[in-house]
Amino acid sequence: MKGYAGKLLRVNLSDGKISKEQISDSLKRDFLGGRGFAVKLLWDEVRNADPLSEKNKIIFATGPLTGQSIPSSGKMVIASKSPLTGGYGDGNIGTMASVHLKKAGYDVVLVEGKSEEPCYLLIEDEKVGVVEAPELWGKNTFEAQDLLEKKHGKNSGILLTGPAGENLVRFSTVMSQKGRAGGRPGMGAVMGSKKLKAVVIKGTGSVGNFDDNKLKEMGKKGYDEIKAKGSYDFWMKQGTMQAFDWANENACLPTYNYREGVFEFSKEMDGYVLEKLHAGRKGCPLCNMQCGHIIKDSSDQEAELDYENVAMLGPNIGLGSLPKVALLNRMADEWGLDAISLGSCIAFLMEASERGLINEKIKWGDFEAAQKLTVEIGRGEGLGKLFSHGVKAASEAIGKGSQKWAMQVKGLEISAYNCQACPGMALAFGTSPIGAHHKDAWIISWEIANDRLSYNKPKVEKLIEFQRIRGGFFESATVCRLPWVEVSFGLDWYPEYLEAITGERKSWEDIYRLGDRIYSLIRAFWIREVPSFGRKWDYPPDRWFEEPHSGGKMKGIKVDRGKYEQMLSWYYELRGWDPNGIPLKKTLENLGLKGV
Ligand code: PTT
Ligand code: SF4
């Protein structure tokens, strides 16, 4: 099939063996790419493995749309068995590495085994090698990026783990280009456990498409359409930070460890403040709506900001200064820590201190304490040791009912939307296949605009539709979803692009089925790998059921547990899973997953 490089590069760090394998047309048809390839490979090859042992594997996977001259296509999926959750984990990162990988002749890199010494993987077209790299070990991701760029060229594609990943912090992420981050559920720690500091890719070839002329023409039309959208100018001014004001106005901004949805200092740090402090823009390759906004942080260094990071390291920890938040964000990037999980851990600590559950006195908004804790988490030392396995493990260690306000699902810290008054989004977090990430179903804006407080079946159907498009299609295609989400770029472009690239027409029905196949296989992976897995893993924390907001326009509202139960049951029914969330045999067979 056209549009793919057609090869998987397998690198075993234990014995140094490197091989190149053909990717079959049936794998391409049934799983498309990116997340689809990743879950199939993990299902087939990673069974009962300790995520930080040599038995685990890490996968870097592109899809047919990756690296093409179409809008925002510089993305790849990084996936592994997660050391944070124990189940399927992945993340999506925009980086030159995705573009180079396909040019080098590979759709997927699979790294297995474990190196004795720090190393990096160097891929230069056909030439592939493992390079010893003691000098890189211990370097932060900005320093390591500079060193590798100096050696291999500024334009190389570089994926890195930071010192936090080296120290096996369970929510360490993979970084690229000093500001792109992907793999929230500990993909950085999997690299660290393999002593794999980086993957450096330089490709010079090209992938043959079915109809290059048509693709070129449609790609240009796509870029033009994006620029002509009414929402484009505002997006270019604020990027994802446009969500900040909206979240505060709609009382869903995570504030004081998700106790509240409105922050009293929001006007000091919203998208308009960002506009004033704006010092530059960054982003992924092949994108004409780049969303990385740079400001000078409180130490006068450049830092890149996104809504999630600002909300989690700002209101959620009670800190109302954008330059200070930017500094914490930069530290997270340098250490290679996921900024969402970091914000959740700091907030949990502050609340634990307020409640007298720990000896240390740390007040809400204490910037110095937040910096100190970030370093301690990155090192896995002091108080940081308590948090280096994430907020779920920290709350289990502290006990005393603190699990109720450890803001996570399946072990992954919740991203930046407070859901006491958004039951559909609460279910989206509950059923996200990697733990509480918004990426699979950001139903919240639809919910607030249409049907906020109801718990009905059409809402559950809408949630599944989002999961099919976002978690199924965009993650396996693999391209950025923000053109569609943020400036209403037409979804119908994508089957057209796919056809020009691969030569095969896929209807939306086919695409939804692909998404369902991927979801059921991810579910099967969790069931196989986590013995206690089942319905109880699909609930948000008790805080959302028990503690209503104390102020704001959603004052007094919380999630109704009985009605949530009903929505969850509808969700399973619609997916063809049993009441415990286990896919039925006939569902698996219908999806072509016989034998799973
Ligand atoms: C993503 C998660 C997000 S989602 C954000 S901000 W967001 C946080 N960013 C972090 C960061 O930065 N530094 C850091 N140390 N940790 C961070 N953790 C958080 O990670 C990102 C964009 C964004 S910005 C979003 S919504 C969209 N996500 C996409 C997706 O998931 N799939 C897809 N097909 N397209 C997407 N487009 C957008 O990409 P994770 P990136 Mg990221 C500094 O990976 O693990 O899913 O975590 O990739 O290249 O940085 O682009 O308001
Ligand atoms: Fe990357 Fe942002 Fe562009 Fe998406 S919109 S491709 S995340 S820069």
Side-chain angles (χ1 to χ4, degrees):
M1 199 189 293
K2 296 279 188 183
Y4 293 86
K7 270 184 271 168
L8 175 147
L9 176 67
R10 185 182 292 272
V11 179
N12 187 311
L13 293 176
S14 297
D15 61 16
K17 206 170 149 214
I18 294 171
S19 55
K20 294 161 193 175
E21 298 166 14
Q22 287 299 322
I23 296 178
S24 69
D25 276 354
S26 66
L27 186 72
K28 293 174 200 159
R29 273 198 192 103
D30 293 345
F31 291 94
L32 195 62
R35 175 185 263 184
F37 283 176
V39 64
K40 180 70 169 91
L41 288 163
L42 290 172
W43 173 261
D44 288 345
E45 300 193 18
V46 175
R47 185 185 282 263
N48 297 327
D50 171 343
L52 297 178
S53 73
E54 63 185 341
K55 278 178 75 189
N56 198 8
K57 308 190 180 196
I58 185 160
I59 292 158
F60 305 87
T62 62
L65 268 51
T66 308
Q68 305 280 5
S69 347
I70 59 168
S72 309
S73 62
K75 291 273 187 181
M76 72 157 71
V77 166
I78 305 176
S80 192
K81 180 170 175 180
S82 161
L84 182 66
T85 68
Y88 173 80
D90 71 15
N92 187 306
I93 188 166
T95 160
M96 280 306 295
S98 332
V99 181
H100 276 293
L101 185 61
K102 280 185 85 172
K103 284 188 171 187
Y106 314 97
D107 301 298
V108 182
V109 179
L110 183 151
V111 181
E112 55 194 17
K114 204 170 192 163
S115 169
E116 290 285 323
E117 301 298 332
C119 65
Y120 67 93
L121 176 61
L122 179 60
I123 303 169
E124 294 171 298
D125 294 328
E126 281 291 302
K127 210 172 115 206
V128 180
V130 178
V131 183
E132 280 190 16
E135 74 288 357
L136 291 181
W137 207 246
K139 292 278 184 287
N140 75 39
T141 66
F142 286 37
E143 295 163 341
Q145 175 89 28
D146 284 341
L147 286 168
L148 287 167
E149 276 181 10
K150 210 165 161 193
K151 201 162 166 191
H152 298 290
K154 218 168 168 45
N155 199 31
S156 322
I158 300 172
L159 299 160
L160 287 153
T161 190
E166 295 171 14
N167 296 330
L168 309 182
V169 178
R170 302 305 197 262
F171 55 89
S172 48
T173 186
V174 176
M175 296 295 305
S176 189
Q177 301 172 194
K178 302 182 179 178
R180 304 283 95 196
R184 294 193 52 214
M187 300 303 103
V190 178
M191 281 181 74
S193 72
K194 298 190 177 308
K195 291 251 174 358
L196 178 67
K197 180 71 184 178
V199 179
V200 180
I201 313 171
K202 290 165 79 174
T204 56
S206 62
V207 173
N209 293 313
F210 177 72
D211 190 340
D212 267 319
N213 287 338
K214 191 167 176 209
L215 184 68
K216 207 170 157 192
E217 188 191 315
M218 286 196 306
K220 185 178 175 316
K221 279 191 184 157
Y223 283 112
D224 290 347
E225 183 178 314
I226 287 174
K227 273 192 138 170
K229 290 283 181 188
S231 41
Y232 182 78
D233 286 348
F234 189 54
W235 168 262
M236 291 308 280
K237 284 186 188 152
Q238 297 200 356
T240 56
M241 274 295 284
Q242 67 185 18
F244 194 91
D245 244 6
W246 168 85
N248 194 57
E249 272 168 22
N250 287 293
C252 57
L253 185 69
T255 305
Y256 300 114
N257 198 25
Y258 293 82
R259 256 188 211 158
E260 306 297 339
V262 178
F263 187 45
E264 62 271 36
F265 303 115
S266 74
K267 290 289 168 218
E268 287 165 42
M269 56 189 313
D270 62 13
Y272 298 95
V273 178
L274 173 81
E275 281 188 43
K276 282 194 203 117
L277 300 178
H278 200 263
R281 188 192 308 283
K282 269 168 76 176
C284 316
L286 297 163
C287 178
N288 70 339
M289 47 177 281
Q290 293 201 317
C291 61
H293 287 266
I294 298 167
I295 70 164
K296 288 279 176 71
D297 67 24
S298 55
S299 71
D300 212 29
Q301 287 184 290
E302 289 192 342
E304 190 182 322
L305 293 175
D306 270 301
Y307 164 73
E308 300 288 327
N309 310 349
V310 174
M312 295 304 293
L313 295 167
N316 202 45
I317 69 166
L319 180 62
S321 148
L322 205 53
K324 286 182 178 169
V325 169
L327 181 76
L328 293 177
N329 195 152
R330 185 186 160 103
M331 288 174 74
D333 286 353
E334 287 176 343
W335 281 91
L337 286 164
D338 174 59
I340 295 173
S341 295
L342 177 66
S344 201
C345 288
I346 297 173
F348 179 89
L349 180 75
M350 289 173 171
E351 182 160 355
S353 171
E354 183 184 61
R355 288 171 181 259
L357 300 187
I358 55 165
N359 295 330
E360 291 77 3
K361 294 278 164 256
I362 301 172
K363 288 206 162 59
W364 290 110
D366 184 336
F367 178 51
E368 278 68 37
Q371 289 177 75
K372 184 164 176 268
L373 188 65
T374 303
V375 173
E376 287 182 353
I377 290 176
R379 290 196 179 129
E381 287 173 7
L383 263 182
K385 201 166 177 192
L386 182 65
F387 289 95
S388 60
H389 289 224
V391 81
K392 182 177 182 216
S395 70
E396 281 162 359
I398 287 179
K400 300 180 184 145
S402 62
Q403 289 94 331
K404 285 176 183 260
W405 39 270
M407 303 308 290
Q408 54 79 31
V409 182
K410 298 184 179 66
L412 182 68
E413 288 74 16
I414 297 175
S415 37
Y417 303 93
N418 204 1
C419 293
Q420 274 104 329
C422 302
M425 191 66 212
L427 185 68
F429 281 132
T431 59
S432 156
I434 60 165
H437 200 311
H438 62 292
K439 79 170 164 191
D440 279 78
W442 194 63
I443 194 177
I444 191 166
S445 73
W446 176 89
E447 182 171 40
I448 288 176
N450 294 288
D451 193 13
R452 183 153 188 179
L453 295 175
S454 66
Y455 297 71
N456 51 37
K457 203 167 180 180
K459 189 178 268 192
V460 181
E461 285 165 351
K462 190 78 194 168
L463 166 59
I464 292 177
E465 183 190 323
F466 275 127
Q467 289 182 334
R468 286 170 169 157
I469 298 170
R470 297 168 63 109
F473 176 70
F474 280 103
E475 294 315 303
S476 46
T478 301
V479 281
C480 179
R481 59 164 193 264
L482 295 188
W484 165 59
V485 176
E486 302 292 355
V487 301
S488 309
F489 180 59
L491 261 189
D492 286 337
W493 278 108
Y494 293 101
E496 300 285 336
Y497 288 148
L498 259 185
E499 189 176 2
I501 289 166
T502 64
E504 290 193 5
R505 182 81 193 169
K506 271 199 186 338
S507 64
W508 278 104
E509 201 182 316
D510 298 332
I511 292 172
Y512 281 8
R513 207 170 120 75
L514 164 85
D516 290 350
R517 182 176 304 124
I518 291 171
Y519 261 63
S520 280
L521 193 57
I522 294 181
R523 192 78 182 176
F525 186 83
W526 277 93
I527 293 160
R528 187 182 72 187
E529 299 300 312
V530 181
S532 60
F533 193 77
R535 186 178 178 109
K536 64 174 185 281
W537 286 70
D538 292 338
Y539 288 78
D542 286 342
R543 163 155 282 168
W544 285 352
F545 294 112
E546 295 175 6
E547 295 177 34
H549 290 303
S550 71
K553 70 178 183 191
M554 289 293 132
K555 186 176 172 184
I557 309 237
K558 58 185 177 163
V559 181
D560 182 303
R561 196 184 290 273
K563 291 179 182 169
Y564 181 91
E565 291 276 2
Q566 173 63 77
M567 287 211 298
L568 186 58
S569 297
W570 282 325
Y571 177 87
Y572 292 155
E573 187 191 307
L574 289 163
R575 283 222 164 273
W577 299 352
D578 79 4
N580 198 26
I582 315 288
L584 296 167
K585 205 170 171 187
K586 69 169 188 287
T587 305
L588 294 172
E589 285 177 3
N590 287 341
L591 291 170
L593 295 172
K594 202 168 173 199
V596 167

